[in-house]
Amino acid sequence: MSRAEAVREVSPLWTLGLFRSELLTTFRRWRTLALLGVLAAVPVLVGIAVRIETGDGSSAGGGGGGGGPAFISQITNNGLFLVFTALAATLPFFLPMAIGVVAGDAVAGEANAGTLRYLLVAPAGRTRLLLTKYATVMTFCLAATLVVAVSALITGALLFPLGELTTISGTRISFSEGLARALLIALVVAVSLIGVAALGLFVSTLTNSGIAAMATTVGLLITVQIVDQIPQLHALHPYLFSHYWLSFADLMREPVYWDDLTKNLGLQALYAAVFGSAAWARFTAKDISA
């Protein structure tokens, strides 16, 4: 039985059925599992590297470069800091690359496989199908971020002690509050990727080649981050979707600094609205022949 037939059979709950079908299809792909595996491996490698370095009697380092949050020097004191370090390490490239691959393949991959027109036979229609695709990509954003966070938490607990945390501001908070902030940071990181998800979905509507859509999305991601590092283009930086990504570090201050966090969330919402609307306009007018 095809996916389109399965969706049609649950017509009273066709929206839920379509979303469930998309989720199962996405998370059963070997490519998706490989991406999640790589993301889960990053915190393990970081934790082992820090453990080996400190075991040799040397310092773990003074913090991230390029203005990133200085969490890595705290890992040996508290394994929970590995969660923050891993998210800071994966956010500039690994996490958005994974999102770009999944989003870029969302529509173009169906067209390339010849299944897109059959999905449109289901009662969802183009608009609801596109919204379901975007919801699936956003679910993957959350899943990918939580994979990094959970892997880092387990690795940190195995390799380093756990206990009270010292915030960036120098105050002490309990482990339970630190764990709650870690979860909040993971959610903020996931939301920080909705702009990339919308961009990838828009690119996916422009072509029938899944590989071309994925490569274009990842290429745009790399280009934007390069532009964000060029001082002469500083006037553009506040409008780039990656500019405020590391603002999640402000959640580890006491009191929390909300300025850059709200700018980041607002910017992601703007990108989601602009490229989501562009994807809708393109997809609803597109001639589906595959």
Side-chain angles (χ1 to χ4, degrees):
M1 180 184 296
S2 69
R3 271 201 297 155
E5 290 172 341
V7 171
R8 285 198 299 272
E9 285 191 357
V10 290
S11 53
L13 297 173
W14 49 264
T15 302
L16 182 60
L18 181 60
F19 180 58
R20 178 178 177 275
S21 175
E22 288 295 328
L23 282 180
L24 290 176
T25 301
T26 299
F27 284 94
R28 282 177 177 173
R29 290 191 176 115
W30 284 109
R31 178 178 62 241
T32 304
L33 297 177
L35 289 172
L36 294 175
V38 170
L39 291 172
V42 172
V44 177
L45 295 176
V46 173
I48 292 175
V50 173
R51 181 68 177 181
I52 292 175
E53 188 174 1
T54 54
D56 291 337
S58 52
S59 172
F71 291 133
I72 194 168
S73 61
Q74 300 291 334
I75 294 177
T76 54
N77 299 324
N78 196 314
L80 189 56
F81 276 99
L82 184 58
V83 176
F84 313 134
T85 302
L87 290 173
T90 54
L91 185 53
F93 181 71
F94 291 104
L95 272 172
M97 181 199 68
I99 305 307
V101 168
V102 173
D105 190 57
V107 176
E110 299 282 7
N112 185 60
T115 56
L116 184 57
R117 60 179 175 179
Y118 296 107
L119 283 175
L120 293 175
V121 176
R126 297 194 181 198
T127 298
R128 292 189 183 273
L129 176 60
L130 190 67
L131 288 174
T132 302
K133 291 282 187 183
Y134 188 49
T136 302
V137 177
M138 288 195 294
T139 302
F140 179 78
C141 290
L142 179 60
T145 304
L146 291 178
V147 163
V148 174
V150 171
S151 174
L153 180 60
I154 294 174
T155 304
L158 292 175
L159 298 180
F160 307 102
L162 298 176
E164 289 188 343
L165 285 78
T166 302
T167 66
I168 295 176
S169 303
T171 58
R172 302 279 292 180
I173 59 175
S174 65
F175 176 75
S176 59
E177 183 178 351
L179 196 60
R181 293 200 188 195
L183 177 58
L184 181 58
I185 284 175
L187 294 176
V188 169
V189 170
V191 175
S192 297
L193 297 168
I194 65 174
V196 174
L199 174 62
L201 193 65
F202 169 61
V203 173
S204 188
T205 64
L206 299 178
T207 177
N208 290 336
S209 171
I211 294 177
M214 290 184 285
T216 300
T217 303
V218 174
L220 288 172
L221 167 68
I222 295 173
T223 301
V224 167
Q225 299 211 61
I226 290 175
V227 172
D228 199 20
Q229 299 301 317
I230 301 176
Q232 292 81 359
L233 300 177
H234 64 89
L236 296 177
H237 293 173
Y239 305 100
L240 302 177
F241 57 75
S242 63
H243 186 66
Y244 296 107
W245 272 351
L246 294 181
S247 63
F248 71 80
D250 290 339
L251 289 170
M252 282 303 295
R253 300 185 187 275
E254 192 67 39
V256 174
Y257 292 175
W258 293 103
D259 288 351
D260 285 350
L261 282 166
T262 54
K263 288 178 182 178
N264 176 45
L265 298 180
L267 191 62
Q268 301 308 320
L270 178 62
Y271 269 87
V274 170
F275 285 103
S277 298
W280 174 82
R282 169 61 179 168
F283 188 61
T284 54
K286 185 176 182 178
D287 181 20
I288 306 297
S289 58

